[in-house]
Amino acid sequence: MKFLLRTLFILLVIPNTFAQKVSPLLSEDTVDQKKWVDSLYADMSLEEKVGQLFMVDIFSSKGDAAADNIKKLIDDYHIGGVIFSKGGPQQQAKMNNEFQELSRIPLLIGMDAEWGLAMRLDSTYAFPWNMTLGALEDNQLIERVGQRIAKHSKRLGVHINFAPVVDINTNPENPIIGNRSFGENKERVTQKALAFMKGMHKENVLSSAKHFPGHGDTDTDSHKALPTLNFTKKRLDSLELYPYYKMIQEGVSSIMVGHLNVPALEPRKNFPSSLSKKIITELLRDSLHYKGLVFTDALNMRGVADFDEPGEIDLAAFLAGNDILLISENIPKAHALLVEAYQEDVISEERLAFSVKKILQAKYKVGLSHYQPVETAYLVEELNTVLDDALYEQVIEKAITVIKNDKAIMPIKDLKHKKIAYVSLGDDKGEDFYNQLQKYTQVDHIQKQHLGSLLTTLKDYNYVIVGHHTSNDNPWKSYKFTQKELVWLYEISRLNTTVLASFARPYSILDLKTTTNLEGIVLGYQNSKIAQEKVAQMLFGAIGAEGRLPVTVGDDFPEGTKYITKPLKRLSYGLPETVGMNSANLNKISALAQKVIDEKMAPGTQLLVARKGKVIYQKNFGYHTYENKIPVSDTTIYDLASLTKILASLPLIMELKEKGVIQLNTKLKEILPELEGTNKANITLKEMLSHYARLKAWIPFYIGTLDAETKKASVKYFRPQPDELFNVKVADQFYMRKDINDSIFKQIVDSDLRKRKQYKYSDLPYYILKKYLETYYDSSLDQLTQEKFYKDLGANHMGYLPLERFDKDQIPPTEIDDYWRKQKIQGYVHDQGAAMQGGVGGHAGLFSNSNDVAKIMQMYLNNGYYGGKRFFTQETLETFNKCYYCEEDVRRGVGFDKPQLGTLGPTCGCISMKSFGHSGFTGTYAWADPEEEIVYVFLSNRTFPDATNRKLISEDIRTKIQQLIYESIMY
């Protein structure tokens, strides 16, 4: 008795609590709307009124024959609407315009665009699926998705989007809903559906909650058969119907009734809900007081179509309380039966007017009283914008969900001691994931045919990332692990520290009998390019994980599971708009970069721009040489020339300053006692590194090694083969006497100082620093920089002596040297002085790609912090990034170059005085701006084949690009 009273209370009280007070179809100008509706209705024949009840489908891909059939239905049966299915936007726009022109009463155009027009159309945008949105904590993002989809719909002449799906997916085996659901938590599903709906309404596109009374806990596809919801009324009220109460209260435009067998609501056995008066009229209309449009789900679905004959089903659906009959199997027959039913008083005038006037109200609300055809110009472009891309990126980033993170295995820290392998499982590609992983450090893709061989190879690694990649084509694609993949995953995780990155629907985790040996599990939900890239970024701490598991996937991972991971301030990668930059303006850089190639200022270039810690422009242009054989790629490694000063020597000096070993006022004689009594003895580090120490600009040491008569490299100093004395490798088959470096340092010590104390850029300070640093640490700059900085930064493409680690074809040449080394300089440092130091100079010798240069520059912008490690304090950075002699017209900081004090200088003149960087002789440039949080890197080999080619410099290309970057800032 108590149970019956509770049930009665639920049915009577709760619906009234959430009852719809005002029709969601009313427009703001209700008086004019009513006049238009009443006038049009009064002018319509019975056949036209009945015709309004039908919305027919068409595949625009089927061409003129299909269009002609719709035109005939418009002419003969006065159909009220069209739902477009598969095809393309241009074909659909053309057909839409033709149909609207033909129809006396404007047509209501609908589409299934649950995740965007791409659900049905090519060349249109696909947003993340609802299950992915279900992982979001920020429902405003979902509202924005709904709004963007509605904007696309409206642009294509679509008035109603049959979304959102509000089914609560409590059945993992549901074959048709699954990823289309926001999850299994009724409150979260409801709030997300409301957000999606509100977004659509902002663009005045009608919404449709589906599939009433609830399709989430079924294991049958209603397209193929009639699913059964064998639950009590109490259960249905508390779960399946819950979202509808809130949606109705908040003004959902329409509700689509599914084809479901619900014995608790409809006692007739196997009777489809879409034909049930008890469910549609008595529950939805009367109990819930719903005043919007009621649609049947498609009447050609076997869940209803097998129940009766075409036409009879349509009549039954209308009599049950539906307003619009979607995709009838037989319009002529159904239309005739409905007209006959009206004439025989089976359908009253009041009942017909009730539905038809609502349909006309909806048409007025979406602007069909002043219909305008779809403009086809720029249609595809406007359906695929950078704003959509930016939103997609934000959604995916915020949806990433960590459900297991033993010992904080994610994000990956301490790169110096990590050897990382990637193993790919699944039936789809994971190359975007792998390529993104490699931007952070060396990650090896291990591919083996046999498990034993794979496990043997993985013994050499201490961190294994397993990616499970399944098709992203649509939400119904297979997502399960194969039995072989499960065995491999169990064995890999049993023997290795392993993280599983899943790019499939979350239910795939249910395939795992145990997750005990997996240290980490992260869900990316989809295998799109962006999802793969964002999960890789999360793994390395470029972004955090914030998502919440929308469904239960086993006892260990209930709905709501989440582990928040905090970013480690590594560079992330994404779109300019996400950090307040304009893509269109930024892409103007490409024209300037192409000009560099076309006008032979350099054979090739790498460009990178980052803002607020995110790389937003990373492109490559041209080739390694003018022979156009090897194109420049992200992994092309350039000779950085003088960027070495701020990327190698300077950070080592900054570290010593921070440790108190040296101070800016430390004199050279204090760090190199052999300078006592020389003219360099009392020069301070601050003066020297500010280029305010009267040192010569440079000394051409190599000239002293030329034969006075032949003008070639003297055999006194060089040999083609190494031996105990000639063991300094300068280039291929070009070995120098090891004692010459002592002579080089002596020349510097003995060199005269300039007469006037004024700014003069010089390489000599970095010969002195190299001497000091290598003596202090008893180690080479090459080893010091790797161990102290590059390995920790994940800068695995940066370093001296690149031929020891990389193939020569990965390194563009810098010159055809016809005056000393007599060969093409490739893989060896271009600078002669650094070459004479065995390729390891304090001023030159470093090689890198733009990505790794950006890591150090970003570390500087982060005030010395990167990847979970603090390299310097903010105070140290500020100490070195300061112009101490500006009043003496010296713009430089301590090691860093700074913006010009007048009109000419190293920057565009549009940049903050707090900014800093450096340029290099080979055509390189790196600059960072703390105020705008911008990093800009330009790498090239402008010196090839001839170092006298100064076009890049005379055209100010690097600073013109910088100007474009700053013009792209929106906020």
Side-chain angles (χ1 to χ4, degrees), residues 650-658 860 872 876-877 880:
L650 190 61
L652 289 167
I653 291 296
M654 292 166 71
E655 183 184 52
L656 290 176
K657 161 67 173 67
E658 188 160 296
Y860 289 149
F872 313 112
T876 298
L877 263 297
F880 281 80

Side-chain angles (χ1 to χ4, degrees), residues 160-268:
I160 181 167
N161 176 15
F162 292 107
V165 172
V166 299
D167 298 318
I168 298 168
N169 205 86
T170 52
N171 188 341
E173 298 302 321
N174 194 319
I176 191 61
I177 304 302
N179 271 338
R180 298 166 66 197
S181 168
F182 290 112
E184 70 177 50
N185 182 303
K186 66 179 182 181
E187 189 59 48
R188 286 176 62 83
V189 167
T190 301
Q191 292 306 314
K192 291 176 191 310
L194 285 170
F196 193 99
M197 177 191 79
K198 288 175 181 177
M200 289 203 298
H201 290 179
K202 282 185 175 180
E203 295 294 332
N204 198 31
V205 169
L206 303 178
S207 55
S208 187
K210 63 185 186 184
H211 306 84
F212 188 84
H215 206 327
D217 195 354
T218 64
D219 55 11
T220 302
D221 180 357
S222 55
H223 291 82
K224 301 175 181 179
L226 182 66
T228 295
L229 272 69
N230 203 11
F231 307 118
T232 64
K233 288 181 180 178
K234 181 180 179 182
R235 150 67 191 256
L236 293 168
D237 274 303
S238 65
L239 189 66
E240 275 78 9
L241 289 170
Y242 183 83
Y244 292 97
Y245 297 148
K246 298 285 186 73
M247 297 291 285
I248 289 170
Q249 186 182 36
E250 294 297 324
V252 66
S253 311
S254 71
I255 289 176
M256 178 181 285
V257 182
H259 308 309
L260 304 160
N261 177 35
V262 192
L265 300 179
E266 170 52 69
R268 286 173 286 185

Side-chain angles (χ1 to χ4, degrees), residues 386 388-391 393 573-579 583 614-616:
V386 70
D388 302 312
D389 292 335
L391 179 55
E393 178 184 313
Y573 300 79
L575 288 167
E577 278 70 14
T578 61
V579 289
S583 290
K614 178 179 287 189
V615 176
I616 54 173

Side-chain angles (χ1 to χ4, degrees), residues 667-690:
K667 296 178 180 179
L668 294 187
K669 66 182 181 183
E670 297 176 54
I671 61 173
L672 290 172
E674 57 263 53
L675 294 181
E676 180 73 56
T678 71
N679 60 4
K680 315 293 188 304
N682 293 315
I683 295 173
T684 66
L685 287 173
K686 181 167 70 174
E687 290 172 321
M688 183 175 76
L689 290 174
S690 299

Side-chain angles (χ1 to χ4, degrees), residues 39-54 73-81 102-105 335 339 352 356 359-360 363:
S39 172
L40 195 54
Y41 186 82
D43 191 42
M44 292 166 64
S45 66
L46 172 60
E47 288 73 19
E48 287 177 319
K49 292 173 183 175
V50 170
Q52 290 302 297
L53 307 177
F54 295 98
L73 293 176
I74 293 170
D75 280 336
D76 295 350
Y77 301 102
H78 321 289
I79 56 173
L102 184 63
S103 182
R104 186 176 83 85
I105 301 160
H335 189 276
V339 168
L352 182 62
V356 175
I359 294 167
L360 295 177
K363 292 184 176 184

Side-chain angles (χ1 to χ4, degrees), residues 644 649 701 718 727-731 736-738 740-742 744-745 748 763-772 774 780-782 800-801 820-821 829 831-845:
T644 303
S649 300
F701 303 108
F718 297 96
N727 62 6
V728 178
K729 191 172 186 180
V730 176
M736 188 182 75
R737 284 174 59 131
K738 63 183 179 181
I740 289 183
N741 274 304
D742 294 331
I744 287 175
F745 190 73
I748 294 172
D763 282 342
L764 301 187
Y766 292 88
Y767 286 86
I768 295 170
L769 291 181
K770 171 182 162 66
K771 175 80 170 177
Y772 165 62
E774 294 187 338
S780 71
L781 279 182
D782 178 25
Y800 293 96
L801 309 174
W820 179 43
R821 286 166 281 194
V829 60
D831 182 272
Q832 298 91 345
M836 294 173 74
Q837 294 177 305
V840 183
H843 67 294

Side-chain angles (χ1 to χ4, degrees), residues 808-827:
K808 183 175 281 190
D809 284 343
Q810 201 171 335
I811 311 164
T814 48
E815 189 179 19
I816 295 178
D817 182 345
D818 59 1
Y819 50 87
W820 179 43
R821 286 166 281 194
K822 301 295 183 178
Q823 59 184 275
K824 180 169 70 175
I825 306 305
Q826 186 174 9

